Amino acid sequence: MFLLKYKFYSNFIVYVIYLIQKKLKKTAFVLFFIINYSTSFHAQVNFNYGHLKFSVDPNIKYINGSVTYCFNSISNTDTLILNFANNLIIDSIIYHQQNISNYYYTPSDYFNIVLPQNSNGLDSINIVYHGVPSTTGLGSFNQSMHNNNPIISTLSQPYGSSTWMPSINNLKDKIDSVKIEITCPSQYKAIANGLLVNTATIGTYSTFVYKHKYPIATYLLAFAVTNYTENSTIYNGNGYSMAIKNFTYPEDDANWMNGAQSLPNILHLFDSIFGDYPFKNEQYGMAQVNFGGGMEHQTITFMGSYNHEISAHELAHHWFGNKVTCASWHDLWLNEGFATYLSGIAYQYSGTGFYWKPFLTGRMQSAMGELGGSVYIADTTNINRMFDGRLTYNKAAMVLHQLRYIIGDSAFFSACRNYLNDVNLAYKFATPADLKQHFELASGTDLTYYFNQWIYGEGYPIYNIVTNNLGNNSYGISISYNTSTNVTTSF
C-alpha cells in the first residue's frame, strides 16, 4: 500500500471465556486465550475456495452478501470460527443442507458457528447476510461521490474485510481460489480480483462474474462499483502475454491514461529483475477510487491518484506482498519496505535515472527525521504506527538499499529471486528469518548482526569526522560516533 501521508478448541470453552471477560473484565488474560484458540483453529482448517456474491447499489452504503467457503478440516472440529462484524444481519447459515441457528460472537469480531456435527476432511458452509457495513482502519467499505456519480469500494488492509463479509483476518491461510459475483444497477461497472468471465443483465441490474485462480490473502480481496471507463492494452512478457486494464472515472480518463503509459515499461523491468509477473495467467489492472495513495489488491490495484512512483510501488507489491506475503503484521516492512525500494529501482533503471538520487536522499532524510523508531512493528493494534511512512516504508527501504551495498548487487538480487521462488514461500507467507536466510545463502555472510540492529533495533549511527592539516601533505583524521538512541547502542 502506498500512502500519500508519505479456531479453535471448543465452542463451549471460548464462550465461557467470553462470559468470564464480561463478568470479571480480565481483558488481557481472556484475549490471550481467545487469540490462542483462534490461532489453533486456523492451523486446523485450510480454506480451499470461496464463492463470494455481493449485491450493491453505489448510491447507498449497503450490502447483500452470500459467501460459500469450501475448506479442509485437518482434525475434528465442532465450531467454525470466522471474523465477522456483529452489526450485519445474518439471514441464513447452511451446512449440509441444514439451517444453523446456533452461532455467537466473541470479542474482536470472532464469529463462532456451532456445527451440528463434527467436521473432518473436505467440507463447506454458506452464509447469507445483509446490512450497512462499518468503515474502519484505512476505510474498509466506502461509499462516496465523484463528479456527481456514486462509487462503492473496499480496502480491507489490515483487518477490515470482516466489516463487509465473513472472512479470515489472519496471515496464516490463503484462499486457494475465488469466484466473485457482483450485482449492481446496469449503468455501472463492477470490478474485482482476477478475470472477468461473464456479464449478464436482467432488467435494470447486471451481474459481473470474476474468477481468480491464485492463492490470495483475505485483505487483498476487493471490489468497486461505479461508472468506470475501461482501457486495455496487451503486455508481452518473457514468453507470455496478458492484458493490462485501467478503469478510470470518465471525467479523468484522458489524464490517467496519459500517466499510465509508463506501466508496461515498469512491468518489464520488474519481470526482468525478479521473474515473471506472479499472476501472468490472468491480468494486471488499476482502478480509480476515492482515497489517497494506492492499495495493491491482487491483480487489480485501487488508486486514489496516479504517478510513476505510486504505480511502481503498487505493481511491486505483486511480487513482494501478494506472491510472498508477510506472515505477521509485525513484519509489514517485508511488504512495504520492498515496494518502496522497488519504486526507487524503477527510477534507477528507467529513462536517464535522474530521480534515483533524489529518491534516495528523500527516503534517507525521512528515515532520519526522528531519532528513534524500529522497522519492526511492536504494536499492531495501532494503524498509524503500522503504516508509518518514516519507518515501515522509508527506513525499511533504506535498510534494504544499505544491505544491497554490503553484499553487492549480484548476491542481493539473486537472494530476492530465490526468496520469491522458494517453494515454501511462493504464494504463501514469509518471515524476516526466511528473507535473512536467502540473503545469507546468496552472500555467504552471517547477517544476524545486521537484522538485529537495523530491523529490530532503533535509530541510526551518527559519525563525527574531523581532519587536521599536519603539513608536508599529511593529514590527521579523527573519527568518533554515537547512536541516535540508547535503545541500540552499537551499529
Side-chain angles (χ1 to χ4, degrees):
M1 183 170 190
F2 189 102
L3 299 179
L4 290 185
K5 183 182 179 182
Y6 238 133
K7 263 175 191 196
F8 60 114
Y9 181 68
S10 160
N11 63 291
F12 174 75
I13 293 177
V14 174
Y15 190 56
V16 167
I17 291 171
Y18 173 54
L19 294 177
I20 292 173
Q21 182 192 8
K22 294 193 71 174
K23 186 72 174 177
L24 302 181
K25 302 186 183 299
K26 293 184 178 179
T27 306
F29 172 80
V30 172
L31 287 181
F32 170 81
F33 276 95
I34 289 175
I35 290 169
N36 273 278
Y37 284 123
S38 176
T39 301
S40 174
F41 161 73
H42 290 303
Q44 296 178 46
V45 175
N46 294 322
F47 285 83
N48 303 322
Y49 173 74
H51 186 183
L52 318 176
K53 301 170 70 173
F54 310 114
S55 179
V56 296
D57 181 338
N59 291 282
I60 307 167
K61 186 176 182 180
Y62 196 87
I63 189 169
N64 285 287
S66 170
V67 172
T68 299
Y69 285 122
C70 296
F71 56 90
N72 182 35
S73 299
I74 300 171
S75 60
N76 283 330
T77 114
D78 59 2
T79 304
L80 185 65
I81 300 180
L82 301 173
N83 299 101
F84 193 38
N86 60 16
N87 65 301
L88 295 176
I89 300 169
I90 295 174
D91 299 309
S92 65
I93 301 175
I94 305 299
Y95 178 76
H96 292 195
Q97 299 181 332
Q98 299 181 54
N99 192 359
I100 298 176
S101 58
N102 191 1
Y103 58 85
Y104 59 92
Y105 296 88
T106 55
S108 302
D109 287 336
Y110 285 117
F111 178 53
N112 302 259
I113 303 172
V114 182
L115 304 177
Q117 61 194 68
N118 282 8
S119 175
N120 189 15
L122 293 176
D123 217 333
S124 65
I125 197 164
N126 171 256
I127 304 167
V128 179
Y129 62 96
H130 69 277
V132 181
S134 59
T135 296
T136 186
L138 299 171
S140 52
F141 190 95
N142 296 282
Q143 190 275 331
S144 57
M145 304 291 290
H146 66 91
N147 196 35
N148 295 320
N149 292 291
I151 178 173
I152 279 178
S153 65
T154 65
L155 194 168
S156 295
Q157 192 182 34
Y159 312 117
S161 61
S162 60
T163 66
W164 55 277
M165 61 176 284
S167 62
I168 319 107
N169 280 347
N170 71 20
L171 295 175
K172 301 181 185 300
D173 184 24
K174 294 186 178 184
I175 304 174
D176 293 345
S177 64
V178 292
K179 180 180 180 180
I180 306 173
E181 299 184 32
I182 307 159
T183 300
C184 62
S186 56
Q187 66 265 39
Y188 303 113
K189 180 173 292 186
I191 58 169
N193 311 89
L195 288 174
L196 179 65
V197 296
N198 189 44
T199 303
T201 299
I202 299 177
T204 59
Y205 286 86
S206 295
T207 298
F208 299 80
V209 182
Y210 290 83
K211 287 186 177 181
H212 183 51
K213 297 182 180 180
Y214 289 89
I216 184 169
T218 303
Y219 79 91
L220 294 170
L221 288 165
F223 74 87
V225 178
T226 192
N227 62 326
Y228 281 119
T229 296
E230 178 181 341
N231 293 278
S232 180
T233 60
I234 298 299
Y235 170 75
N236 294 308
N238 182 23
Y240 72 94
S241 296
M242 69 171 190
I244 298 178
K245 294 186 177 182
N246 292 283
F247 300 89
T248 62
Y249 301 156
E251 64 270 22
D252 295 333
D253 183 57
N255 290 334
W256 275 66
M257 291 312 301
N258 182 59
Q261 290 179 1
S262 65
L263 186 59
N265 291 333
I266 302 172
L267 182 53
H268 177 72
L269 173 65
F270 292 166
D271 256 359
S272 64
I273 298 176
F274 301 106
D276 291 352
Y277 171 71
F279 310 98
K280 63 182 182 181
N281 292 330
E282 295 184 358
Q283 67 178 38
Y284 182 66
M286 296 190 301
Q288 188 175 5
V289 293
N290 283 357
F291 64 72
M295 177 61 208
E296 65 276 12
H297 297 131
Q298 204 155 292
T299 71
I300 182 69
T301 288
F302 285 8
M303 305 279 279
S305 59
Y306 186 89
N307 61 48
H308 178 86
E309 188 170 326
I310 297 177
S311 176
H313 181 108
E314 302 306 336
L315 177 59
H317 269 308
H318 282 70
W319 284 262
F320 296 91
N322 295 6
K323 180 180 182 181
V324 179
T325 308
C326 61
S328 168
W329 293 120
H330 293 290
D331 304 310
L332 180 58
W333 71 273
L334 289 173
N335 297 7
E336 300 299 347
F338 266 107
T340 302
Y341 188 51
L342 265 61
S343 66
I345 294 290
Y347 283 138
Q348 182 181 13
Y349 293 112
S350 297
T352 64
F354 174 81
Y355 293 103
W356 172 233
K357 287 188 176 180
F359 170 86
L360 293 176
T361 299
R363 296 305 177 277
M364 185 71 73
Q365 289 176 343
S366 169
M368 299 174 65
E370 297 179 25
L371 298 179
S374 172
V375 171
Y376 175 82
I377 301 167
D379 182 6
T380 57
T381 65
N382 185 334
I383 299 297
N384 289 331
R385 170 58 191 93
M386 288 177 65
F387 296 93
D388 186 311
R390 181 177 73 90
L391 298 172
T392 307
Y393 293 70
N394 296 334
K395 184 177 181 181
M398 290 301 93
V399 166
L400 290 170
H401 181 63
Q402 183 174 248
L403 182 58
R404 176 184 172 188
Y405 171 80
I406 291 171
I407 67 176
D409 275 16
S410 178
F412 181 86
F413 289 113
S414 291
C416 289
R417 288 190 293 271
N418 294 339
Y419 168 79
L420 291 167
N421 293 318
D422 187 328
V423 295
N424 296 313
L425 307 178
Y427 304 99
K428 300 174 185 174
F429 301 96
T431 68
D434 296 317
L435 180 67
K436 173 176 170 287
Q437 180 184 44
H438 281 292
F439 278 128
E440 289 178 337
L441 289 172
S443 65
T445 304
D446 184 350
L447 295 170
T448 301
Y449 79 95
Y450 187 81
F451 275 68
N452 286 344
Q453 294 172 0
W454 288 101
I455 300 301
Y456 301 105
E458 292 193 29
Y460 49 86
I462 301 172
Y463 292 91
N464 184 39
I465 303 175
V466 178
T467 61
N468 295 305
N469 189 338
L470 303 178
N472 297 321
N473 293 322
S474 297
Y475 292 85
I477 301 176
S478 174
I479 303 175
S480 61
Y481 98 100
N482 203 344
T483 56
S484 64
T485 172
N486 291 329
V487 176
T488 304
T489 58
S490 177
F491 285 88

